Short mmCIF file of all heavy atoms in Angstrom, two decimals:
data_model
loop_
_atom_site.label_atom_id
_atom_site.label_comp_id
_atom_site.label_asym_id
_atom_site.label_seq_id
_atom_site.Cartn_x
_atom_site.Cartn_y
_atom_site.Cartn_z
N CYS A 56 112.92 120.81 100.72
CA CYS A 56 111.81 121.71 101.13
C CYS A 56 110.50 121.02 101.07
O CYS A 56 110.29 120.16 100.26
CB CYS A 56 111.84 122.95 100.26
SG CYS A 56 113.30 123.76 100.04
N GLY A 57 109.54 121.51 101.89
CA GLY A 57 108.16 121.02 101.79
C GLY A 57 107.92 119.56 101.95
O GLY A 57 108.55 118.93 102.80
N THR A 58 107.18 119.12 101.05
CA THR A 58 106.90 117.62 101.05
C THR A 58 108.22 116.79 100.88
O THR A 58 108.32 115.76 101.42
CB THR A 58 105.84 117.30 99.86
OG1 THR A 58 104.63 117.88 100.27
CG2 THR A 58 105.81 115.94 99.45
N SER A 59 109.03 117.40 100.04
CA SER A 59 110.34 116.58 99.83
C SER A 59 111.07 116.46 101.17
O SER A 59 111.80 115.45 101.46
CB SER A 59 111.20 117.24 98.83
OG SER A 59 110.35 117.38 97.57
N SER A 103 114.22 116.77 95.46
CA SER A 103 113.45 117.86 94.83
C SER A 103 112.70 117.25 93.67
O SER A 103 113.28 116.87 92.74
CB SER A 103 114.37 119.03 94.47
OG SER A 103 113.59 119.98 93.70
N GLN A 104 111.42 117.39 93.85
CA GLN A 104 110.59 116.83 92.73
C GLN A 104 110.89 117.63 91.40
O GLN A 104 111.21 117.14 90.47
CB GLN A 104 109.13 117.18 93.07
CG GLN A 104 108.05 116.67 92.03
CD GLN A 104 107.93 117.50 90.76
OE1 GLN A 104 108.04 117.00 89.66
NE2 GLN A 104 107.62 118.78 90.92
N SER A 105 110.89 119.07 91.48
CA SER A 105 111.08 119.84 90.28
C SER A 105 112.46 119.81 89.79
O SER A 105 112.79 120.08 88.67
CB SER A 105 110.62 121.27 90.64
OG SER A 105 111.43 121.88 91.61
N THR A 108 114.23 123.88 92.78
CA THR A 108 113.98 124.75 93.94
C THR A 108 115.27 125.54 94.34
O THR A 108 116.26 124.89 94.58
CB THR A 108 113.47 123.78 95.14
OG1 THR A 108 112.28 123.22 94.69
CG2 THR A 108 113.23 124.59 96.35
N VAL A 154 99.53 121.11 92.08
CA VAL A 154 100.59 121.76 92.82
C VAL A 154 100.99 120.95 93.97
O VAL A 154 102.22 120.90 94.31
CB VAL A 154 100.19 123.24 93.08
CG1 VAL A 154 101.04 123.84 94.21
CG2 VAL A 154 100.20 124.13 91.94
N ALA A 155 100.01 120.44 94.72
CA ALA A 155 100.32 119.60 95.83
C ALA A 155 101.02 118.20 95.40
O ALA A 155 100.50 117.55 94.55
CB ALA A 155 99.13 119.40 96.75
N SER A 156 102.15 118.02 96.05
CA SER A 156 102.91 116.85 95.65
C SER A 156 102.40 115.58 96.21
O SER A 156 102.10 115.48 97.47
CB SER A 156 104.35 117.11 96.10
OG SER A 156 105.14 116.16 95.53
N GLN A 163 109.83 109.57 95.84
CA GLN A 163 110.97 109.85 96.68
C GLN A 163 111.15 108.95 97.86
O GLN A 163 112.26 108.60 98.16
CB GLN A 163 110.69 111.38 97.33
CG GLN A 163 110.83 112.52 96.30
CD GLN A 163 110.18 113.79 96.75
OE1 GLN A 163 109.48 113.89 97.83
NE2 GLN A 163 110.44 114.80 96.06
N LEU A 241 100.56 118.93 106.14
CA LEU A 241 100.91 119.90 105.07
C LEU A 241 99.93 119.82 103.93
O LEU A 241 99.44 120.85 103.37
CB LEU A 241 102.32 119.58 104.52
CG LEU A 241 102.75 120.48 103.33
CD1 LEU A 241 102.86 121.92 103.75
CD2 LEU A 241 104.25 120.07 102.87
N LYS A 242 99.58 118.57 103.56
CA LYS A 242 98.57 118.36 102.43
C LYS A 242 97.35 119.17 102.80
O LYS A 242 96.70 119.85 101.97
CB LYS A 242 98.28 116.96 102.24
CG LYS A 242 98.94 116.03 101.17
CD LYS A 242 99.51 116.39 99.95
CE LYS A 242 100.62 117.47 99.92
NZ LYS A 242 101.92 117.05 99.43
N GLU A 245 97.70 123.07 102.82
CA GLU A 245 97.94 123.63 101.52
C GLU A 245 96.73 123.69 100.54
O GLU A 245 96.56 124.60 99.71
CB GLU A 245 99.22 123.10 100.82
CG GLU A 245 99.15 121.77 100.31
CD GLU A 245 100.40 121.33 99.66
OE1 GLU A 245 101.07 122.10 98.99
OE2 GLU A 245 100.81 120.20 99.77
N VAL A 362 109.49 126.35 92.94
CA VAL A 362 109.82 127.61 93.75
C VAL A 362 111.20 127.98 93.47
O VAL A 362 112.11 127.53 94.07
CB VAL A 362 109.60 127.31 95.27
CG1 VAL A 362 109.84 128.64 95.98
CG2 VAL A 362 108.14 126.86 95.49
C1 F6R B 424 103.75 120.44 98.82
C2 F6R B 424 104.67 120.74 97.78
C3 F6R B 424 105.81 121.54 98.24
C4 F6R B 424 107.08 121.04 97.58
C5 F6R B 424 108.26 121.95 97.85
C6 F6R B 424 109.57 121.45 97.29
O1 F6R B 424 102.67 119.56 98.36
O2 F6R B 424 104.45 120.38 96.70
O3 F6R B 424 105.98 121.65 99.60
O4 F6R B 424 107.30 119.79 98.03
O5 F6R B 424 108.04 123.22 97.23
O6 F6R B 424 109.49 121.33 95.94
P1 F6R B 424 110.61 120.42 95.17
O7 F6R B 424 110.30 119.03 95.70
O8 F6R B 424 110.27 120.58 93.69
O9 F6R B 424 111.92 120.89 95.49
#
Side-chain angles (χ1 to χ4, degrees):
C56 305
T58 284
S59 303
S103 174
Q104 185 283 128
S105 63
T108 297
V154 165
S156 193
Q163 290 167 347
L241 177 61
K242 263 333 54 119
E245 71 180 321
V362 184

